[in-house]
Amino acid sequence: MKFFRLFVLLAGLSALLPAKADDAPARVTVIFDAFGKPSDLQRGWGYSALVEYQGKRILFDAGGQYQTFADNVRKLNIDLKKLDFVVISHRHGDHTGGLAYVLEQNPAVQIYAPLETGSFGTPPSPPAAKALLRNAAGIAPDLRYFNGQPPEKLTIDSPWPAARFTLIDKSVEVAPGLYLVKTISDSKGTLELNELSLAVRTPKGLAVVVGCSHPGIERILAAASQYDKQLYTIVGGLHLVDKSDQQVSEVVNNFKTRWQVERIAAGHCTGEYAQVELDRVYGDKHDHSGVGEIIALPR
């Protein structure tokens, strides 16, 4: 009887312990996007997803509208107070719109964002600051920067001054099997924009979560491949919406033949023609990933 009571006591205590990483959710939940199956969730232009893997809970981007993001978070029963960290892929408003709500719920959460001159509280570049020291002969005194005595360091406030930002200037492993992949755009309209993607190591290869893929999705895959050449899935915005049909078909075919990506869960700025092509090439391995969808990851 004593052994039985001890067994019952231990079983009760074990139920109170945190779940093991092996038992924890392995999934991506889409919080914010402009399409999806009929539901009470709101649509909006932008992207946000909750990544849960190996006991970690990571918010990737925060959508484009404060209220829509907040409403969807509540309807999906997502507790933003229980985040390990946040990743902001890049500076555009359709990925940061709900960040103020995140900080209301979890003011001390760690936020990773790309190092960007003049963004996320980063000061202007040293060359720009040095240019203020140039002495232009004949300039009127009231037109001189800082009365001719500029400060040693220029500061620019972040829209979220109390947030705990860590700015990333190169790819890095931030937790075991979790990688921030930094790439830079050379495309017209987003020239020199830095972007972070999140690569999650799974038993079947990397799950690469992307915000907008401004540097080019294949460039991002090449950068992620330094951690694991086997690619399981891509989740998020592929930025094919403004590409020609021929370019889209080429990239989609490359996913299958060049990169050997097993599955795709494309969202946001991927574009409708690209979604059709992904259906054609991937069939039932194209995971439709509109707002509210849950994409399972291998354990």
Side-chain angles (χ1 to χ4, degrees), residues 17 99 104 123 143 147 151 174 176 190 194 203 215 217 235-236 271-272:
L17 295 174
L99 188 53
E104 288 171 14
L143 297 179
N147 297 319
V174 289
T190 58
N194 290 301
I217 183 58
V235 181
E272 293 185 357

Side-chain angles (χ1 to χ4, degrees), residues 1 3 10 39-40 42 51 71 93 121 126 131 152 157 159 162 167 173 178 192 202 208 218 244 252 265 267 298:
M1 180 62 71
F3 287 111
L10 292 174
S39 72
D40 64 346
Q42 297 183 54
V51 180
D71 289 346
E152 292 184 5
D157 285 345
L167 302 178
E173 184 175 18
L178 297 173
E192 297 184 347
T202 82
V208 182
E218 293 196 77
S244 70
V252 170

